[in-house]
């Protein structure tokens, strides 16, 4: 194998960090095979490439690094001290690549792949467990990475590639997303059980205009819906407490610290009364969202089809 050393790396100092991965990555497997066999011909045979191609790749690698990786004697080669150092790192890098490849193949497996699924906190106690149980009746080995968060945070994570699908409310309207409305959920005005309105079963929201409200923090979909409904009813709510979880708000209501517009609880909570709001129509739409133009793995496609088949009965 002809060998010519370059006294300086071919990569200029200014471009080194930008280019080093592009230069090294395609040659790591070549280098590892030559180092393991200590013979270019045998390594070329294993890799299925011409010997001349492999020889040129190794010479170019040494030139780019500015370091001799091999000592050559006829058709055999042996590693220099620098070559042994480089081999250890190359083997670890190749092992990580193989591990990553195995991981993504496992996630895409039609029968045992992974779905990264986001949903609202208020859907975590009953709705989502019931959905996954029903889906896994036909797909028992599919794995789920579950993420609970508020709507805006889930959409950010969806855009960043951390989620395949998410259930959220309100249903977002954005050009980079595909959304489908699945169901709607009635909201109730929750009051303490000793409140002046606690003997009522139904109420117009305008009747609560003078009440103190406890709500979720700005950025939560339910907070936006609460503000919009109060505006439609002709008032701006006086907010005393802001929280991050609906059941915490119920606890604040039970403590007499305000009233709240909330979806039905998974389990009835003592200390509060939940009133049907007759006007305006107090509901929140629940929908599923995913990134437009992103191909689905087989398990994601199956779960998406399952969710779309639950239109109108998602919350049953």
């Amino acid at each position: 194998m002809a060998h010519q050393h370059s006294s300086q790396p071919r990569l200029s100092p200014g471009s080194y960090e930008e280019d080093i991965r592009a230069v090294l990555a395609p040659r790591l497997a070549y280098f590892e095979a030559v180092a393991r066999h200590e013979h270019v011909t045998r390594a070329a045979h294993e890799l299925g490439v011409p010997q001349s191609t492999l020889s040129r790749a190794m010479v170019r690698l040494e030139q780019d690094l500015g370091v001799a990786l091999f000592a050559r004697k006829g058709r055999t080669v042996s590693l220099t001290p620098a070559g042994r150092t480089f081999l250890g790192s190359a083997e670890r890098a190749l092992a990580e690549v193989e591990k990553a490849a195995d991981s993504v193949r496992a996630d895409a497996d039609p029968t045992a792949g992974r779905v990264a699924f986001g949903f609202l906190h208020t859907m975590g106690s009953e709705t989502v467990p019931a959905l996954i149980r029903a889906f896994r009746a036909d797909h028992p080995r599919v794995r789920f990475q579950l993420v609970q968060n508020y709507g805006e945070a889930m959409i950010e994570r969806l855009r960043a590639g951390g989620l395949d699908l998410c259930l959220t409310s309100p249903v977002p309207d954005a050009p980079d997303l595909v959304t489908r409305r699945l169901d709607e959920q009635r909201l109730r005005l929750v009051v303490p059980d000793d409140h002046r309105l606690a003997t009522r079963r139904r109420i117009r929201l305008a009747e609560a205009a003078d009440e103190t409200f406890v709500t979720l923090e700005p950025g939560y979909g339910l907070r936006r819906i609460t503000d919009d409904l109060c505006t439609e009813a002709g008032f701006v709510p006086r907010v005393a407490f802001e929280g991050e979880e609906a059941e915490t708000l119920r606890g604040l209501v039970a403590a007499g610290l305000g009233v709240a517009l909330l979806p039905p609880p998974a389990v009835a909570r003592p200390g509060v009364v939940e009133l049907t709001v007759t006007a305006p129509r107090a509901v929140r739409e629940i929908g599923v969202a995913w990134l437009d133009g992103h191909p689905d793995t087989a398990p994601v496609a199956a779960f998406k089809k399952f969710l779309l088949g639950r239109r109108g009965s998602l919350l049953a």
Side-chain angles (χ1 to χ4, degrees):
M1 178 165 63
H3 182 69
Q4 295 178 349
H5 271 301
S6 171
S7 60
Q8 296 294 330
R10 295 176 64 90
L11 298 172
S12 66
S15 66
Y16 190 83
E17 290 194 3
E18 291 87 356
D19 294 344
I20 191 66
R21 285 175 294 182
V23 166
L24 295 181
R27 301 175 187 159
L28 290 183
Y30 284 6
F31 168 75
E32 187 275 337
V34 174
R36 178 162 35 85
H37 286 284
E38 295 188 334
H39 199 283
V40 176
T41 302
R42 288 196 291 268
H45 180 73
E46 176 187 290
L47 294 168
V49 299
Q51 178 181 329
S52 58
T53 298
L54 186 56
S55 295
R56 285 194 298 270
M58 293 301 94
V59 170
R60 181 64 182 270
L61 176 61
E62 291 178 311
Q63 290 174 342
D64 285 332
L65 291 174
V67 175
L69 300 176
F70 298 103
R72 294 160 175 83
K73 186 175 181 180
R75 296 192 178 189
T76 64
V77 296
S78 59
L79 289 170
T80 65
R84 293 197 179 281
T85 299
F86 190 64
L87 176 62
S89 296
E91 288 175 332
R92 288 190 294 272
L94 291 169
E96 285 299 314
V97 170
E98 185 175 0
K99 180 179 176 182
D102 289 343
S103 176
V104 296
R105 282 196 294 262
D107 287 347
D109 184 280
T111 60
R114 180 182 68 98
V115 179
F117 182 44
F119 52 93
L120 302 169
H121 288 283
T122 50
M123 307 190 76
S125 60
E126 285 193 340
T127 299
V128 168
L131 287 172
I132 292 176
R133 179 180 180 180
F135 176 74
R136 282 170 62 93
D138 293 324
H139 304 83
R141 296 175 59 206
V142 168
R143 297 170 289 119
F144 282 84
Q145 177 190 351
L146 301 177
V147 176
Q148 288 179 271
N149 216 321
Y150 65 98
E152 290 184 6
M154 280 196 298
I155 296 303
E156 290 178 8
R157 190 157 179 171
L158 189 68
R159 288 182 169 128
L163 291 175
D164 298 310
L165 304 164
C166 67
L167 287 181
T168 188
S169 177
V171 181
D173 181 13
D176 62 332
L177 301 178
V178 179
T179 59
R180 296 289 185 270
R181 179 186 177 279
L182 297 179
D183 215 335
E184 67 177 26
Q185 188 174 46
R186 286 194 170 275
L187 303 179
R188 300 168 178 174
L189 185 70
V190 185
V191 302
D193 60 6
D194 59 355
H195 192 273
R196 64 180 179 87
L197 298 172
T199 58
R200 302 272 298 274
R201 295 182 60 188
R202 295 177 175 81
I203 189 173
R204 296 176 68 253
L205 189 57
E207 296 178 71
D210 295 331
E211 299 292 332
T212 297
F213 277 73
V214 295
T215 71
L216 296 179
E217 295 176 350
Y220 283 72
L222 189 56
R223 170 61 180 270
R224 180 161 26 125
I225 293 170
T226 295
D227 290 346
D228 289 347
L229 287 171
C230 290
T231 298
E232 191 175 347
F235 69 96
V236 176
R238 291 187 297 113
V239 177
F241 296 94
E242 296 176 334
E244 297 181 345
E245 208 276 323
E247 288 311 302
T248 299
L249 298 187
R250 269 193 176 80
L252 294 173
V253 173
L257 300 176
V259 303
L261 276 170
L262 296 173
V267 178
R269 177 159 192 152
V272 300
V273 174
E274 310 215 359
L275 309 178
T276 299
V277 178
T278 59
R281 188 168 182 267
V283 298
R284 67 170 181 172
E285 290 189 338
I286 307 294
V288 60
W290 62 88
L291 278 180
D292 190 18
H294 280 227
D296 294 330
T297 62
V300 171
F303 189 58
K304 182 187 294 183
K305 181 179 179 181
F306 168 80
L307 288 177
L308 295 177
R310 305 283 292 210
R311 283 191 181 103
S313 62
L314 185 79
L315 305 175

